[in-house]
Amino acid sequence: MSSTKPEHIIIVGAGIFGLSTAIHLARRGYTNITVFDKQPYEKTLYSYLDGCDAASADINKIIRSAYGSQTIYQELTSDALRSWHEWNQEIARGADLPPGFSPSDRVFFNCGNLSCGDYSSLPTFERATVECMEAAGFKRTQLITNEPADLNAAEEKGFFPAMNPFSKKTLGVLDTTGGIAVADKACLYALHKAKSLGVRFILDPFNGAFASFIYDLNSQVIGIRTADNKKHLAGMTIMACGGWTPSLLPELDDLCEATAGSVVLLKIPQSSQLRQRFSPSRFPSYTFKVRDGAEGGLYGFPVDERGLLKIGYRGTKYTNPKVQKDGKERSVPITRWTTGNEGTLTQIPQQAHRVIRKFMDEYLPELGQEGINIWKSRVCWYTDSFDNHFVIDRVPGQKGLMCATGGSGHAFKFLPNIGKWVVDVMENIGMDSPCIQAWRWRKPASGEEPTNTLMEGSNGARSLGKTCLVTAEAARSKI
Ligand SMILES: Cc1cc2nc3c(=O)[nH]c(=O)nc-3n(C[C@H](O)[C@H](O)[C@H](O)COP(=O)(O)OP(=O)(O)OC[C@H]3O[C@@H](n4cnc5c(N)ncnc54)[C@H](O)[C@@H]3O)c2cc1C
C-alpha cells in the first residue's frame, strides 16, 4: 500500500464500477472514501428478486477472454481472471468471509463460454479471437466446435460436453478460460473487501440517494447532496450509477444512453435430471448469434444452485426516453422495482420473448418436454456508449468530478480490476495507455458509424412506449 491520502473521495453507485473503484482507491492509500447507493444492498444482497435492479445485481454474468481482435479487453480479462481465481481460493480458505458466505461458495465458475450460431463457416469475430489468443500465448484455449483436434483438446481438458451443449449442432468457439461470475455473490464479496479496507458505505434509499451536486463559486463540483438533504463535501466525486448515469450527468449526451436488455429465468425442479444436464460441470455460458441483429442476440448460462436457468436477449435494446428538467429527452431505467412504478414493468418486449422462445424450442426442447415455464422476466439496463468502450474520465471542465460508466454489456467481468484504471485516471497515471485512451470523454468522429445508435428519443423504434410488451412469466405457448 502506498502513502496515506486523506482527501475525501465520494463514489456514487455500488455496482461493479463503484465497488471496484472503492477497493482500488483504498489499496492505493486513500483513507477517506464513502460510497453512496440508493439500494440497501446489505439487506437485499444484490438480489433482483429482492428489489435490486442494477445491472450488477444479477444471478450470473458471462466471463470471456474472447474479444475478437479487441486485445485491450482480452488483456484486461486475463488480468481479471487471475483475481477471479484468487477470490475463489480466498473464499475456499474461509479466512475472512462476508456474512452468509461459506467456504464452499464460488464467485467464478470456469465452465467455458461458447460463442456460436447456426453458421456454416466460422464468423470473422471468432476467427480473430482464436488468432489473438494464440498470438498472446494462450495456446489451445479457444476451441472450434467442429475441429477434430479441438474436440480432442476439449476431451482432455474436461470441456467436451460444453462444445456441443444443445440438442441441435452449432458452430462456434468455446473459450475455455471463461465461464460465469456469480454476480450477486461477487458484488457482496467485493463490498466486504472494500469495507475491510476501511471504505464507508451509505446504502439507503434516502440517505444514500444522490440528489444533486454541490458547486463552489467557480461552478466546480465540490461534493453531493443526498435525498435526506445532507451535504457531503469531497475532493473528488465519481459518478458510477450505471444506467442512471446519463440522466444524472447530461454531459454524457451522445456518448452514453440507458438501454434495456430482456432476461428470462426458468426454474428447474430439484428432482429433474435437467439440473445435472445444465450444471456448470457440463454446460457452458453461451452466446448465440450475438452479433447478428434482432433475430439473434441471445445468451445464456448453466443452472445455478437454486435451479435457475437464465436466458437473455440483446438483439434489440430498448429505451425509455423521458423529458428531463432541461427539456431534453433522455432514456431512464424503469423496472418492476422503480420507485413510484413498483410492480408495473413485469413484462418484456414481444420481440425478445419471441426470439427467446424460438431458441428454447429449437435448441433446448427438453425444457418444454418437461413443462418447464418461464418463471420470471426482467428488463435489465445497460449503459451503452456509442462505440461499446467504457467512459472513465473527468467530466469536461470539472476538476473534482469523474465518471466511471458505459459498461455496454460487458463490464461485469472486470469487477476485480476496472477500479485500478479509474484510480489511474484520477491520479493522471499512464494516460497514454490504449485503455485509458479508449475510455476518454469523446464524441463520435464525423462520419464514424456508431456501434450503438444513441438518443433516438420517444419517436425512435426502440422506445418502450412504442414497443409491444408481453407477459412472459409462466407463459408457455408456442409462438
Ligand atoms: C442485461 C445485461 C447483461 C449483461 N451481461 C454481462 C455479461 O454477461 N458479462 C459482463 O461482463 N457484463 C455484462 N453486462 C454488463 C455489466 O452488467 C455492466 O457493465 C455492469 O454491471 C455495470 O455496472 P455499473 O456499476 O456501471 O452499474 P450498475 O450495476 O447499474 O450500478 C449502478 C448503481 O448506481 C446506483 N444508483 C443509481 N442512481 C443512483 C442515485 N441517484 N443515488 C445513489 N445511487 C444510485 C444504483 O442503485 C446501482 O447500484 C450486462 C449488462 C446487462 C444490462
Side-chain angles (χ1 to χ4, degrees):
M1 193 180 283
S2 46
S3 59
T4 298
K5 298 163 184 168
E7 89 178 289
H8 188 206
I9 313 288
I10 283 178
I11 299 168
V12 187
I16 66 103
F17 274 98
L19 289 168
S20 189
T21 301
I23 290 171
H24 285 272
L25 279 168
R27 285 188 184 153
R28 205 78 71 88
Y30 289 86
T31 54
N32 192 3
I33 307 160
T34 314
V35 181
F36 292 87
D37 204 292
K38 61 188 167 91
Q39 285 286 347
Y41 286 128
E42 281 143 330
K43 291 186 201 127
T44 54
L45 310 179
Y46 285 89
S47 165
Y48 173 68
L49 301 172
D50 286 322
C52 304
D53 52 6
S56 306
D58 203 344
I59 65 170
N60 41 31
K61 297 284 188 198
I62 292 172
I63 297 189
R64 59 175 161 114
S65 305
Y67 262 99
S69 55
Q70 288 191 297
T71 50
I72 61 169
Y73 293 108
Q74 177 186 301
E75 285 163 21
L76 205 63
T77 309
S78 139
D79 181 42
L81 274 170
R82 274 189 286 277
S83 302
W84 284 111
H85 285 289
E86 267 167 37
W87 286 14
N88 269 353
Q89 286 156 11
E90 286 168 16
I91 293 168
R93 283 197 295 275
D96 178 23
L97 297 181
F101 268 55
S102 87
S104 62
D105 280 320
R106 298 286 172 272
V107 288
F108 168 55
F109 282 92
N110 180 205
C111 54
N113 175 242
L114 176 68
S115 174
C116 68
D118 54 354
Y119 305 127
S120 52
S121 63
L122 205 58
T124 318
F125 183 94
E126 276 69 29
R127 286 206 179 282
T129 290
V130 176
E131 281 162 23
C132 291
M133 286 292 279
E134 287 282 319
F138 299 102
K139 306 279 180 205
R140 275 276 151 84
T141 59
Q142 310 299 308
L143 305 179
I144 301 173
T145 56
N146 66 352
E147 286 280 342
D150 287 356
L151 284 159
N152 282 341
E155 180 85 65
E156 275 164 30
K157 290 166 180 256
F159 281 104
F160 191 74
M163 292 285 268
N164 278 296
F166 305 116
S167 66
K168 239 170 131 174
K169 280 242 184 259
T170 59
L171 177 61
V173 170
L174 181 76
D175 174 2
T176 61
T177 69
I180 57 164
V182 184
D184 44 6
K185 273 194 191 143
C187 286
L188 280 173
Y189 192 61
L191 174 68
H192 180 70
K193 268 187 175 295
K195 278 188 184 169
S196 308
L197 289 163
V199 176
R200 269 184 311 275
F201 282 84
I202 302 184
L203 306 174
D204 184 88
F206 197 47
N207 304 341
F210 167 91
S212 59
F213 292 113
I214 303 171
Y215 296 92
D216 69 7
L217 294 174
N218 299 315
S219 306
Q220 291 291 305
V221 169
I222 51 166
I224 66 163
R225 195 181 284 275
T226 40
D228 55 357
N229 210 22
K230 270 206 182 121
K231 278 178 165 183
H232 308 272
L233 298 180
M236 177 62 78
T237 299
I238 302 172
M239 296 299 282
C241 298
W244 292 266
T245 325
S247 48
L248 298 174
L249 265 186
E251 291 89 339
L252 284 168
D253 281 0
D254 302 321
L255 174 48
C256 284
E257 182 172 46
T259 66
S262 310
V263 177
V264 302
L265 292 177
L266 293 91
K267 210 174 193 179
I268 300 189
Q270 182 80 54
S271 55
S272 168
Q273 294 291 323
L274 295 181
R275 283 268 181 122
Q276 185 54 25
R277 153 93 175 89
F278 295 121
S279 121
S281 61
R282 306 183 54 79
F283 195 80
S285 63
Y286 61 89
T287 58
F288 180 82
K289 297 178 72 174
V290 76
R291 281 168 287 279
D292 295 352
E295 294 300 314
L298 288 154
Y299 59 93
F301 298 82
V303 73
D304 82 350
E305 61 193 13
R306 293 160 290 191
L308 298 178
L309 190 78
K310 187 176 114 181
I311 304 175
Y313 169 78
R314 52 179 294 177
T316 300
K317 292 185 273 182
Y318 300 86
T319 60
N320 182 39
K322 293 285 164 217
V323 177
Q324 307 291 295
K325 275 191 204 137
D326 62 2
K328 217 166 164 179
E329 278 188 341
R330 289 184 192 90
S331 175
V332 288
I334 177 169
T335 71
R336 77 170 77 208
W337 303 119
T338 303
T339 310
N341 293 288
E342 287 90 343
T344 52
L345 195 55
T346 54
Q347 298 173 306
I348 55 171
Q350 185 177 42
Q351 162 82 1
H353 184 228
R354 184 179 61 74
V355 178
I356 291 173
R357 289 309 317 271
K358 184 167 179 285
F359 174 75
M360 281 166 48
D361 287 343
E362 278 182 39
Y363 288 86
L364 300 167
E366 55 274 65
L367 293 167
Q369 284 152 13
E370 288 210 11
I372 294 170
N373 293 331
I374 293 173
W375 173 64
K376 277 270 176 276
S377 66
R378 123 177 228 197
V379 290
C380 184
W381 289 85
Y382 298 98
T383 323
D384 276 339
S385 63
F386 68 84
D387 54 8
N388 270 351
H389 288 305
F390 312 148
V391 179
I392 299 179
D393 206 350
R394 283 190 167 68
V395 176
Q398 290 290 342
K399 287 202 248 1
L401 180 61
M402 278 183 65
C403 167
T405 192
S408 298
H410 67 120
F412 195 96
K413 64 183 77 59
F414 305 119
L415 165 61
N417 60 344
I418 196 67
K420 172 218 170 281
W421 297 89
V422 181
V423 185
D424 278 359
V425 172
M426 193 178 121
E427 296 191 330
N428 292 313
I429 292 170
M431 298 301 281
D432 293 337
S433 93
C435 289
I436 291 181
Q437 284 297 308
W439 302 333
R440 74 204 180 285
W441 211 275
R442 60 200 182 272
K443 296 276 179 217
S446 81
E448 180 181 351
E449 188 63 35
T451 311
N452 300 307
T453 305
L454 306 184
M455 301 194 75
E456 293 173 319
S458 47
N459 289 323
R462 295 177 301 127
S463 157
L464 279 176
K466 291 196 145 199
T467 301
C468 179
L469 301 173
V470 293
T471 300
E473 296 180 359
R476 172 67 223 175
S477 55
K478 287 220 179 213
I479 293 175

